[in-house]
Amino acid sequence: MAPRVEILRAAALLCLSLVRGIEADPAAKVAVFGHKAPDTDTVASAIIYAWELQERQVPAQAFRLGDLNPETQYVLQTLGVEAPPLLEGALAVGAQVAIVDTNNPAELPDGVAKAKIHSIVDHHKLAGLVTAEPLEIDVRPWCSATSILFARASASELTPPKHIAGLMLAGILSDSLKFRSPTTTKADIAHAHRLSKLAGVGLDSLADGMFDAKAKVDHYSPKELLMMDSKVFTIGGRKLRVSVLETTKPAAPLGRKEALLAAMRGLVAEEKIDDVLFFVVDILKEEATFLSGSSTARSIVERAWKVKVDTAANSVVLPGVLSRKKQIIPKLEATANDTEYEAQVVPARPAERPPRTTPS
């Protein structure tokens, strides 16, 4: 093995041994969870990281912060893995927790600011989470948290059992849209092919099954579709809920456009936010259709992508747009930093509003 690889592996093993040594209460289980409105990567990562911690002699239990979506249900059933229990309510003061697939306080349980955060494994930009003391944190610009967890296991010479390898693979396939997303790296692709062998699962067959499951959303209400994969951001002083629906069959949700527009307006009133931006991502065509629920939402998207929203259809197709993290949010943030943004999109914005771009 190359000397550089040996050095990196030794450093990883040393780091893990040091973390084992600073456990405040070895008897207390660390609660491991990801973000609200959980997707496949966040649920899989919670299960995988709980396994890793157990292997490091750190008692841990995986949890989820919401209902499972159809794709995640399919993955767990296919791999024969039990769903993590639902974590409800606020965290107790001093509760020991580990966080995966997010570091945004708005996506975490109430009370997280007073919890004892053991560690974070994530693939998103830093978003304002403050801790009382130092912690282990592993953030890498890869397509999924499960891809990072596989690299961690490999570095510490942990061989994942088949069901864990399958979950690692599923997280990569889900977040990369089977390598279509611009978030995909060469490392993610290499990991996926290795994990397919370790799990004894066909990469193509698992991805196809996941995409089929993802498209089965006819039984969900318009509000549920908007909330299924949704995050809140404060951009340009405006509180925006940015929702994404990834599917291989976009005609079904787009056929419910009027109901979705009404649900958007309802969410704005219910949550006291400024707008809901909804993007239906066509996985196979590699494009997104934006549905406009308000004139300000329309203006934001028109300025960001230099397009014209059809006011009769209340929609516009955005070729090549697949990723909220890599494409949608950066584009919205860049537009909010434009000096003409306030005058043309939010002319009546109060002076006391928060700074242009902050995590919410």
Side-chain angles (χ1 to χ4, degrees):
M1 186 178 294
R4 184 171 179 272
V5 175
E6 289 283 13
I7 291 170
L8 290 172
R9 177 163 290 180
L13 290 170
L14 175 60
C15 179
L16 296 184
S17 67
L18 288 173
V19 171
R20 281 199 295 266
I22 61 172
E23 286 303 308
D25 182 1
K29 277 193 174 184
V30 176
V32 185
F33 48 78
H35 53 75
K36 297 174 183 177
D39 56 14
T40 297
D41 188 40
T42 211
V43 173
S45 293
I47 298 170
I48 295 162
Y49 194 37
W51 165 79
E52 179 193 309
L53 291 174
Q54 295 278 17
E55 292 294 311
R56 289 162 46 183
Q57 309 306 310
V58 179
Q61 168 70 55
F63 291 91
R64 56 185 168 90
L65 300 187
D67 294 334
L68 301 177
N69 65 36
E71 180 192 72
T72 307
Q73 292 177 39
Y74 169 82
V75 167
L76 296 182
Q77 291 168 3
T78 299
L79 299 175
V81 178
E82 186 176 346
L86 181 65
L87 183 64
E88 298 182 275
L91 296 171
V93 174
Q96 292 199 74
V97 304
I99 299 167
V100 294
D101 197 30
T102 186
N103 65 85
N104 187 340
E107 299 173 6
L108 295 167
D110 292 339
V112 70
K114 295 184 178 180
K116 181 178 176 61
I117 300 177
H118 170 279
S119 49
I120 298 172
V121 178
D122 191 18
H123 64 126
H124 297 87
K125 69 176 185 177
L126 300 181
L129 185 63
V130 177
T131 62
E133 55 191 68
L135 71 159
E136 179 187 1
I137 182 166
D138 190 343
V139 178
R140 311 188 199 188
W142 291 353
C143 80
S144 74
T146 64
S147 190
I148 299 170
L149 287 163
F150 177 55
R152 290 168 61 87
S154 299
S156 54
E157 299 182 333
L158 293 175
T159 301
K162 284 190 172 184
H163 72 288
I164 292 294
L167 290 171
M168 290 173 168
L169 173 60
I172 294 172
L173 294 176
S174 178
D175 270 19
S176 74
L177 300 177
K178 194 185 174 186
F179 316 137
R180 293 173 172 85
S181 172
T183 61
T184 310
T185 68
K186 291 180 180 179
D188 299 315
I189 296 171
H191 291 169
H193 286 287
R194 289 175 60 192
L195 286 164
S196 176
K197 294 178 181 178
L198 287 171
V201 174
L203 188 154
D204 291 333
S205 61
L206 180 60
D208 290 346
M210 290 167 62
F211 289 165
D212 285 345
K214 194 189 287 274
K216 295 176 180 176
V217 295
D218 290 351
H219 59 292
Y220 285 94
S221 70
K223 181 179 178 180
E224 287 172 332
L225 291 177
L226 293 174
M227 298 296 288
M228 188 175 294
D229 186 357
S230 185
K231 297 183 179 183
V232 175
F233 301 85
T234 300
I235 300 176
R238 296 178 63 78
K239 195 170 186 179
L240 307 176
R241 177 171 287 285
V242 183
S243 301
V244 173
L245 179 64
E246 299 166 343
T247 180
T248 54
K249 300 176 182 178
L254 291 175
R256 303 169 66 183
K257 180 173 59 180
E258 295 305 319
L260 286 165
L261 295 176
M264 288 182 217
R265 293 188 284 270
L267 273 174
V268 168
E270 177 186 335
E271 298 185 331
K272 296 180 172 58
I273 56 179
D274 290 293
D275 270 309
V276 176
L277 306 185
F278 184 47
F279 300 82
V280 178
V281 172
D282 186 326
I283 297 170
L284 301 181
K285 286 188 177 180
E286 300 188 21
E287 63 185 25
T289 298
F290 165 70
L291 293 187
S292 172
S294 72
S295 60
T296 51
R298 182 176 70 245
S299 296
I300 290 169
V301 168
E302 286 182 338
R303 287 189 55 76
W305 278 274
K306 306 294 189 292
V307 295
K308 194 68 178 174
V309 175
D310 185 330
T311 53
N314 287 310
S315 66
V316 65
V317 174
L318 304 173
V321 174
L322 294 168
S323 171
R324 175 173 50 209
K325 177 180 70 176
K326 191 85 170 180
Q327 295 171 302
I328 295 173
I329 297 305
K331 192 72 116 172
L332 295 175
E333 290 177 333
T335 303
N337 289 326
D338 188 325
T339 55
E340 298 179 9
Y341 176 85
E342 294 181 23
Q344 296 194 23
V345 177
V346 283
R349 193 179 73 153
E352 68 273 18
R353 280 271 182 111
R356 291 176 187 266
T357 304
T358 56
S360 174

